[in-house]
Amino acid sequence: FGDTRTQIEGVDAQTGSLSIIRNTANNNGPYIIFGKSRGGSIGSNTAVENGDYLGHIRFNGADGTDMGNVAAEIRGTVDGAPGDNDTPGKLEFRTTADGSNSTTTRMTVTSAGKVGIGKTPSTWHLDVDSTDGYIASFDGSNNTGIAINSSSNIADIIGYSNSASSYNKVVIRGASGTGLVVDTSNNVGIGTASPDCPLHINGSANSEQVIIT
């Protein structure tokens, strides 16, 4: 890093660290600002273009030869066509895999606020891709689950578990209550929270229970 304009190098926390402090009687704090233009001179404001990197925060480590190896980084990138007072951007969170010397994008937050993990998000607000088997794990102390909200209505998918290795029942619930239950014996209940056979459907005696078309 000897060619940078500013460098702090030390042998302990005091000599090898940087603090930025702001004292004001309001809710504002200090800033770290990264700026880029496509101009070739000091003070230029030539517009950036889609895909331009606006700034990097890099985490490097010495490998015994030099310190040019990036282990992780955060990139700010132009995400769309800029215009006057219009600069769409995205954040890329990148890490370097074991045995590699370059970073790979692991998570992206686009200018539309969509989040992609393992891929660039497209349609969904959260888009996850994985080739390693399980995609996500949600742990909690009280009936851990996933809640899907839409306006005033709510739908739940709840997985009940005593521990990480002991799985209990799974409940799929709509706005009007429990719709489907899969218990520890893999019995499926529709309209009942306690199925006592492989498929247990509970409803009104005069209603159609199953429709096949």
Side-chain angles (χ1 to χ4, degrees):
F1 306 134
D3 57 351
T4 57
R5 293 287 294 272
T6 302
Q7 180 171 306
I8 299 173
E9 185 168 353
V11 295
D12 54 27
Q14 290 182 326
T15 59
S17 300
L18 171 68
S19 297
I20 303 175
I21 300 170
R22 174 175 174 172
N23 299 296
T24 53
N26 54 43
N27 63 350
N28 294 315
Y31 294 84
I32 298 177
I33 300 175
F34 298 87
K36 172 187 167 53
S37 84
R38 278 191 165 250
S41 60
I42 301 298
S44 173
N45 288 308
T46 303
V48 292
E49 298 179 4
N50 183 35
D52 283 359
Y53 299 137
L54 301 180
H56 302 248
I57 299 176
R58 286 182 169 175
F59 304 86
N60 287 33
D63 63 355
T65 301
D66 57 35
M67 204 176 292
N69 304 283
V70 183
E73 66 177 322
I74 302 172
R75 289 182 182 176
T77 308
V78 180
D79 189 28
D84 188 25
N85 295 320
D86 175 20
T87 312
K90 66 180 178 181
L91 283 177
E92 296 176 322
F93 296 84
R94 303 169 61 91
T95 63
T96 299
D98 188 18
S100 177
N101 63 356
S102 60
T103 62
T104 300
T105 300
R106 308 301 185 184
M107 184 174 76
T108 302
V109 183
T110 70
S111 58
K114 296 179 179 180
V115 178
I117 300 176
K119 65 180 299 184
T120 300
S122 53
T123 303
W124 316 107
H125 285 280
L126 176 60
D127 209 343
V128 183
D129 185 34
S130 173
T131 59
D132 298 331
Y134 294 113
I135 291 179
S137 176
F138 301 90
D139 294 325
S141 60
N142 185 21
N143 299 340
T144 299
I146 302 172
I148 303 172
N149 291 282
S150 176
S151 300
S152 59
N153 296 325
I154 184 171
D156 300 307
I157 301 176
I158 303 175
Y160 295 87
S161 177
N162 293 328
S163 67
S165 60
S166 176
Y167 299 97
N168 288 338
K169 64 182 179 180
V170 174
V171 176
I172 299 176
R173 185 175 63 191
S176 60
T178 298
L180 184 145
V181 173
V182 182
D183 68 12
T184 55
S185 299
N186 287 330
N187 291 332
V188 177
I190 299 175
T192 176
S194 303
D196 54 16
C197 61
L199 177 60
H200 184 167
I201 301 175
N202 181 46
S204 171
N206 296 323
S207 65
E208 294 177 313
Q209 303 301 306
V210 178
I211 299 177
I212 301 175
T213 60

